[in-house]
Amino acid sequence: NIIDRMRMWGYGNTMVAVFLLDATFVADSAKFISGSLLSLSAMIALELPHVNVLTKCDLLSEDDVERTLELSSATELWGREQDRNSIMPANYEEGTEEQRRLEQRRRNRSRLTDSICQLLDDYTMVNFLPLNIRDEESIDHVLSCVDATIQYGEDVEVRGYEGAEVDGGEE
């Protein structure tokens, strides 16, 4: 309703949605996938140009942030998490009743998460820009992406310097 009202007031072509996700979500793949799904949901619901920003990147090592952002798909990210977290071997029938029940629950949850990851991969619209508040280049990069998204400054006339000759095309 607010967005429709702002469009009526003439702000329609100058609005952009900026989705902020805390970088501490990078440490847990399930949280990062959840945040990505929430971002996709916001994109669809708001119907605005959208920029996703991963905030507080200064709290994590650059390697951790880059390793997660460089992955080509959510399925790949979840597969990496599953490889680390498997609590039972492939032949899990040999464990105790409690272990078998936990492993079955984990496998069911894994199938649901695989489906969610496939949904994110199908849309391929969720990408994050890292924002490190202590790095001026990072801030400039995020601002320039937001400006490019709303095409800020596209309608401004190009100005030449004082001594420039302007060719009128006449010969």
Side-chain angles (χ1 to χ4, degrees):
N1 198 7
I2 294 172
I3 293 172
D4 293 335
R5 196 59 77 140
M6 290 184 73
R7 284 186 178 133
M8 284 179 18
W9 293 334
Y11 293 106
N13 58 352
T14 60
M15 290 190 302
V16 63
V18 178
F19 185 85
L20 305 174
L21 183 68
D22 197 31
T24 56
F25 278 42
V26 170
D28 184 12
S29 297
K31 287 182 181 178
F32 187 72
I33 291 169
S34 174
S36 298
L37 187 62
L38 186 58
S39 171
L40 180 63
S41 176
M43 282 182 192
I44 293 169
L46 294 176
E47 297 177 354
L48 287 174
H50 205 85
V51 175
N52 297 310
V53 178
L54 193 62
T55 62
K56 300 181 184 176
C57 288
D58 53 312
L59 300 179
L60 298 174
S61 71
E62 285 186 35
D63 292 338
D64 289 341
V65 174
E66 286 180 19
R67 193 177 316 118
T68 301
L69 294 179
E70 286 176 354
L71 290 175
S72 60
S73 70
T75 305
E76 187 178 331
L77 176 68
W78 183 246
R80 185 179 73 181
E81 179 75 13
Q82 289 304 100
D83 291 342
R84 285 190 291 156
N85 289 340
S86 183
I87 60 174
M88 297 277 295
N91 188 7
Y92 68 94
E93 287 83 17
E94 297 173 6
T96 67
E97 181 66 30
E98 180 71 16
Q99 288 174 327
R100 285 195 299 267
R101 198 172 75 246
L102 286 174
E103 184 63 17
Q104 185 61 39
R105 187 180 309 156
R106 187 193 66 78
R107 288 182 183 202
N108 288 341
R109 189 187 78 201
S110 179
R111 282 196 301 265
L112 174 63
T113 306
D114 287 339
S115 298
I116 291 170
C117 290
Q118 188 61 46
L119 175 72
L120 287 170
D121 291 345
D122 288 347
Y123 274 93
T124 64
M125 294 172 41
V126 180
N127 294 313
F128 288 92
L129 299 171
L131 176 64
N132 181 344
I133 198 70
R134 294 185 176 103
D135 182 13
E136 193 170 328
E137 282 184 22
S138 173
I139 297 169
D140 288 341
H141 180 66
V142 170
L143 287 175
S144 67
C145 286
V146 170
D147 287 346
T149 302
I150 60 172
Q151 298 176 346
Y152 180 77
E154 292 289 322
D155 57 349
V156 177
E157 299 258 343
V158 177
R159 291 187 241 153
Y161 64 92
E162 295 295 321
E165 289 184 27
V166 179
D167 185 15
E170 297 176 20
E171 294 183 31

